[in-house]
Amino acid sequence: MAPPLISVQDVTKVFRMGDVEVRALRGVSLDIEAGEFVAIRGPSGSGKSTLMNIVGCLDRPTTGRYLLDGKDVAPLDRDALARIRNRLLGFVFQSFNLLPRTSALENVELPLLYAGLPRAERHRRAARALERVGLADRLDHPPNRLSGGQQQRVAIARALVSEPKLILADEPTGNLDSRTSVEVLALFQELGRTGITIVLVTHEPDIATYVGRQIVVRDGHIASDRRQTPVRADPSSIPIEDVA
Amino acid sequence: MNGLETLRVAVRALLRNKLRSFLTTLGMIFGVGAVVATVAIGEGARSAVEQAFASMGTNLLVVLPGSANTGGARGGFGSQPTLTWEDLKAVRTEVPTVRYAVPYLRSSSQVLSEEQNWTTQVAGTEPDYFEIRSWPMALGTRFTDSDVDTGTKVVVLGATVAEKLFGPNSNPVGQTVRIRNIPFQVVAVAGRKGQTPTGQDSDDVVFIPRSTFQAKIQGGLGKFLQGTIFISATNASTAERQVADLLRDRHRIGGPSEDDFQIRNLAEVASAQEESSRTVTLFLAIVAAVSLLVGGIGIMNIMLVSVTERTREIGTRIAVGARGRDILRQFLGEAVVLSVAGGVLGITAGIVTARWLTAAFHWPVAFRWDVMILAVFFSGAVGVVFGLYPARKASRLDPIDALRYE
């Protein structure tokens, strides 16, 4: 059997803020198999973002091991980690983090630029990724001419474009209304069916109902970890809110 | 990412903020523009002076007669004839470094053609004068030594005088002009020389044999040479010393007594001019360095603001796989693009300014392409030097903090 895509083994993380030590993670162990759609849920300050940063190779554990796709990332230097983020991972952020005054297409191309792909290839793949998220007709729109939901879909296309094994989404619905949130979740569910592993960090319990596995983090520990039958995300079931 | 990609990313980023990018380059534009324009003007002036000196002839000495000292009132050089025709002969025969020595007598006089008149300088000299000044004839043949011996009434017209008396592009050779009511036959028109170092028209002159000048203009052959002596030497400074020694000896001037003549070495005047223009160039270089420094600081300032403002962008780029050196190159690229664009625009502005000055005030300008190429390279260097700190700052941002930055 293949090793789990993510294997977090007794990881702790301590931040030093002046004289105070903050223990964000106090021994977390967790395996996530390829193809899972997982939500990491917890109140703010629970350590879920720290866990996310370690899984995303943006931060390193203080103690413990983290194996990504069966390989320990501890001995890798900054450039090697950048390479892993570029090839293996895709990020989706709460506030989209798109480059302003830059077309959707160019925003989506960004990871491919750092992968060193030629221009024509970048264009082709970015256009296909935007098509996959339903924005084929918005290629040359800059972010300020797109709605919040469309912006988040551009960001998802950017995460998808390098065909990663894992997408990490940090509060992806935090800046969206409930109908658009469900739209985005429907997109994630669709992507999940194609075999991509998705880890979603959220503090909203109802968002976590749409995933197949819910991990609750509290005070730097895993408080619960259970598999569930996901609710099918159906945007049409949510009434359109009045936008004041 | 290769260099071209980096450049494209940098240009894209700069075009997102067009006005700011333009304002940032203004410092460089003004600095480089000022340098290019002032160098062009300085070079223009220098080459004009150089040309004027070259037109005077090379290794040229001018001997002026001394001053009349009456009762303590000193009249200044030329106020009294102290040079004699014998002196001239001695200079010719006894100083080995002298190639040519000719008298130059002059008087302001009206010259008349059939239809026109023109007041100009009438000069009495010998044919070698044209050798000393390397002054070819445009039309006709200059007068000869035998004309000098016999005192023929022939005249060589300067280009300006020929034009004033006979109209432009005319051929007055063979015509007659009257100087002090005496008819002179035009044998030649001298080629155009242009301005003297002091800005006078070299061509506003007519030449007649010095013997004719003595007889008809000065009225009588005397012992004294009532004018100056032009000398062309193989070595100007040696000749200057030797001629001075000879004349002091001949005039019996010993020890501390003041010379009753003066020798002007035009090579020295020219080199003094050169020296002063070199000083001006050095000064300009300092101004250029300061203005580029100021421009560079402006770029650094804006790049620092830009790095802070785009912290989230940098975080995003790092998250999707940019390495530290990709970020470093991008911001360094932006700084270099700004500074080189400023340099290139500055050169354009400088050329436009210099051309405008030429058009408006007839200032001579000469463009130094080497200075311009240097300016572009220097601009690039300024971009690298002043862009490095902001770029390093950007490349070392922690992605987690950068992504959360508000």
Side-chain angles (χ1 to χ4, degrees):
Chain A
M1 197 182 136
L5 181 65
I6 291 171
S7 182
V8 175
Q9 298 172 1
D10 201 22
V11 159
T12 67
K13 181 72 191 181
V14 180
F15 293 107
R16 204 175 295 273
M17 289 168 149
D19 293 341
V20 189
E21 277 192 352
V22 179
R23 297 172 67 194
L25 294 177
R26 306 170 181 225
V28 171
S29 293
L30 172 69
D31 281 357
I32 295 173
E33 303 296 332
E36 280 193 280
F37 186 7
V38 180
I40 297 176
R41 191 163 69 78
S44 65
S46 60
K48 64 182 191 301
S49 292
T50 306
L51 182 57
M52 174 85 157
N53 288 335
I54 288 171
V55 171
C57 295
L58 290 166
D59 206 352
R60 295 170 189 274
T62 308
T63 64
R65 293 214 308 162
Y66 169 41
L67 280 73
L68 177 61
D69 207 17
K71 284 186 279 289
D72 194 347
V73 299
L76 302 177
D77 64 7
R78 278 177 69 127
D79 285 1
L81 291 177
R83 205 180 150 83
I84 285 179
R85 288 196 300 271
N86 188 243
R87 306 282 158 89
L88 247 51
L89 308 181
F91 288 89
V92 177
F93 305 99
Q94 179 176 357
S95 45
F96 324 138
N97 285 24
L98 299 174
L99 302 189
R101 292 179 228 182
T102 304
S103 71
L105 192 71
E106 278 182 87
N107 263 297
V108 175
E109 276 182 36
L110 201 62
L112 304 180
L113 186 71
Y114 295 113
L117 260 63
R119 238 179 116 190
E121 174 78 2
R122 292 203 309 259
H123 277 359
R124 204 173 54 74
R125 286 176 62 171
R128 210 173 52 198
L130 279 164
E131 209 174 303
R132 249 176 112 178
V133 301
L135 289 174
D137 54 343
R138 297 281 192 281
L139 299 187
D140 50 2
H141 282 44
N144 62 343
R145 285 178 52 206
L146 295 170
S147 71
Q150 288 172 330
Q151 288 187 49
Q152 195 57 298
R153 281 193 277 160
V154 172
I156 293 168
R158 182 178 64 195
L160 279 175
V161 76
S162 50
E163 286 157 16
K165 292 198 169 171
L166 172 65
I167 286 181
L168 294 167
D170 189 1
E171 305 271 7
T173 58
N175 283 4
L176 302 175
D177 62 46
S178 42
R179 190 190 163 92
T180 318
S181 298
V182 174
E183 275 174 19
V184 165
L185 283 159
L187 179 58
F188 277 133
Q189 286 186 343
E190 200 186 311
L191 296 174
R193 277 195 289 278
T194 67
I196 298 176
T197 313
I198 300 164
V199 175
L200 186 151
V201 170
T202 184
H203 66 276
E204 295 169 85
D206 54 328
I207 294 294
T209 60
Y210 295 99
V211 306
R213 180 180 172 194
Q214 224 186 108
I215 298 166
V216 179
V217 179
R218 195 166 290 138
D219 301 328
H221 291 289
I222 293 182
S224 73
D225 182 351
R226 61 187 174 80
R227 286 167 208 279
Q228 61 188 29
T229 307
V231 176
R232 198 175 71 87
D234 179 11
S236 61
S237 67
I238 310 283
I240 295 169
E241 285 174 38
D242 285 333
V243 180
Chain B
M1 255 204 309
N2 61 25
L4 201 67
E5 282 299 350
T6 308
L7 208 65
R8 276 169 44 87
V9 169
V11 170
R12 282 290 161 87
L14 292 173
L15 290 180
R16 293 213 305 258
N17 247 319
K18 289 189 191 70
L19 181 64
R20 181 200 281 184
S21 301
F22 173 70
L23 290 176
T24 308
T25 59
L26 267 187
M28 298 295 290
I29 292 175
F30 279 119
V32 173
V35 170
V36 168
T38 42
V39 166
I41 292 160
E43 277 298 308
R46 204 168 70 98
S47 74
V49 167
E50 233 166 50
Q51 227 165 29
F53 274 107
S55 77
M56 290 291 293
T58 46
N59 285 323
L60 189 67
L61 299 177
V62 182
V63 186
L64 298 140
S67 68
N69 297 339
T70 359
R74 301 191 291 173
F77 286 115
S79 57
Q80 179 178 302
T82 54
L83 299 172
T84 65
W85 293 102
E86 290 301 317
D87 286 341
L88 176 62
K89 207 178 283 174
V91 166
R92 274 181 185 155
T93 53
E94 289 172 35
V95 182
T97 50
V98 168
R99 278 164 55 211
Y100 302 107
V102 294
Y104 190 84
L105 318 173
R106 61 181 177 182
S107 167
S108 183
S109 184
Q110 201 181 42
V111 182
L112 295 99
S113 67
E114 301 242 322
E115 275 128 38
Q116 291 292 339
N117 69 84
W118 184 253
T119 301
T120 186
Q121 189 188 104
V122 177
T125 187
E126 295 177 9
D128 283 347
Y129 176 77
F130 300 104
E131 295 296 330
I132 293 174
R133 301 282 312 266
S134 356
W135 201 336
M137 296 298 114
L139 297 165
T141 320
R142 67 191 187 205
F143 54 78
T144 60
D145 285 323
S146 71
D147 289 320
V148 175
D149 291 341
T150 54
T152 334
K153 285 175 276 183
V154 289
V155 63
V156 171
L157 301 182
T160 303
V161 179
E163 195 184 304
K164 296 292 180 194
L165 292 180
F166 295 96
N169 305 320
S170 56
N171 185 354
V173 173
Q175 307 259 24
T176 303
V177 296
R178 301 173 81 81
I179 302 167
R180 302 220 174 149
N181 225 13
I182 303 156
F184 281 78
Q185 197 195 4
V186 178
V187 290
V189 176
R192 195 169 281 283
K193 269 276 185 194
Q195 286 188 350
T196 68
T198 50
Q200 280 143 357
D201 183 0
S202 298
D203 304 303
D204 191 3
V205 64
V206 301
F207 302 98
I208 59 175
R210 61 103 178 140
S211 49
T212 319
F213 188 96
Q214 282 176 281
K216 306 295 179 190
I217 312 283
Q218 269 175 356
L221 303 164
K223 170 190 170 199
F224 287 103
L225 189 159
Q226 306 207 15
T228 53
I229 299 173
F230 274 70
I231 295 170
S232 171
T234 51
N235 181 321
S237 47
T238 312
E240 184 183 357
R241 207 178 52 243
Q242 290 171 340
V243 169
D245 288 345
L246 176 77
L247 291 177
R248 283 171 71 85
D249 194 38
R250 288 182 58 82
H251 295 186
R252 295 192 177 77
I253 300 163
S257 303
E258 234 177 272
D259 289 347
D260 61 357
F261 59 90
Q262 193 200 17
I263 301 176
R264 292 201 182 141
N265 184 341
L266 290 183
E268 270 170 21
V269 179
S271 76
Q273 285 272 7
E274 202 117 311
E275 188 65 37
S276 79
S277 80
R278 210 168 297 141
T279 310
V280 170
T281 307
L282 183 72
F283 181 72
L284 283 178
I286 292 167
V287 171
V290 170
S291 67
L292 285 174
L293 193 75
V294 172
I297 291 168
I299 287 173
M300 178 151 81
N301 193 10
I302 285 299
M303 290 310 296
L304 283 172
V305 170
S306 178
V307 167
T308 306
E309 222 181 47
R310 287 154 68 193
T311 300
R312 279 262 290 268
E313 176 191 327
I314 296 163
T316 307
R317 285 178 185 272
I318 294 174
V320 303
R323 295 161 302 177
R325 62 171 165 276
D326 293 323
I327 301 293
L328 182 87
R329 277 190 209 151
Q330 182 192 336
F331 281 87
L332 208 53
E334 286 182 28
V336 171
V337 167
L338 278 178
S339 61
V340 170
V344 171
L345 287 175
I347 286 172
T348 315
I351 291 174
V352 169
T353 308
R355 288 229 185 282
W356 175 75
L357 286 171
T358 314
F361 304 111
H362 304 288
W363 287 8
V365 296
F367 294 108
R368 285 270 304 266
W369 302 107
D370 54 339
V371 168
M372 292 183 201
I373 290 163
L374 202 71
V376 171
F377 275 107
F378 219 82
S379 311
V382 164
V384 171
V385 169
F386 288 95
L388 199 59
Y389 173 66
R392 277 178 81 90
K393 211 178 139 175
S395 71
R396 289 179 174 187
L397 284 175
D398 178 41
I400 298 164
D401 295 339
L403 282 167
R404 265 194 218 128
Y405 186 85
E406 292 294 334

